[in-house]
């Protein structure tokens, strides 16, 4: 029985390092969960913590959810150089 490789959830950025927009429904679900976690964390922290700690709580929630998002994006982004036209661009210096 042949196992197909898992499909990526995010496309790589065209230039630079990192992920671009989601290319599968799972990627969109992760992105929606990220925004909901940040908004929900802000609303919950506003009710629980006083003003001084509130800002630290928001920063903590945003930092934690961003780290989780980066880990998921790194694991589920299509490998660079495997898409259509990979290797078809010229490299080197200008003549």
């Amino acid at each position: 029985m042949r196992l197909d490789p898992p499909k990526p959830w995010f496309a790589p950025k065209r230039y630079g390092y990192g992920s671009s927009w989601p290319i599968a429904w799972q990627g969109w679900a992760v992105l929606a969960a990220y925004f909901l976690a940040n908004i929900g964390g802000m609303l919950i922290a506003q009710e629980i913590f006083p003003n001084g700690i509130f800002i630290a709580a928001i920063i903590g929630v945003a930092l934690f959810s961003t780290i989780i998002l980066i880990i998921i994006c790194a694991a589920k982004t299509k490998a660079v150089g495997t898409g259509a036209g990979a290797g078809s661009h010229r490299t080197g210096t200008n003549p």
Side-chain angles (χ1 to χ4, degrees):
M1 179 162 105
R2 189 179 128 214
L3 295 175
D4 292 330
K7 297 193 188 293
W9 296 355
F10 298 93
K13 285 174 57 176
R14 187 174 295 228
Y15 300 105
Y17 179 77
S19 299
S20 183
W21 290 103
I23 57 174
W25 70 267
Q26 295 94 336
W28 287 107
V30 167
L31 196 59
Y34 170 74
F35 286 119
L36 289 175
N38 282 319
I39 292 169
M42 181 177 60
L43 294 174
I44 291 170
Q46 183 179 10
E47 295 297 321
I48 294 176
F49 298 108
N51 288 339
I53 300 174
F54 167 68
I55 294 174
I58 289 176
I59 292 171
V61 168
L63 185 63
F64 178 75
S65 61
T66 301
I67 290 170
I68 298 299
L69 179 68
I70 289 171
I71 291 169
I72 292 171
C73 288
K76 297 296 185 175
T77 298
K78 180 167 46 167
V80 177
T82 60
S88 64
H89 60 282
R90 289 179 47 175
T91 59
T93 59
N94 292 333

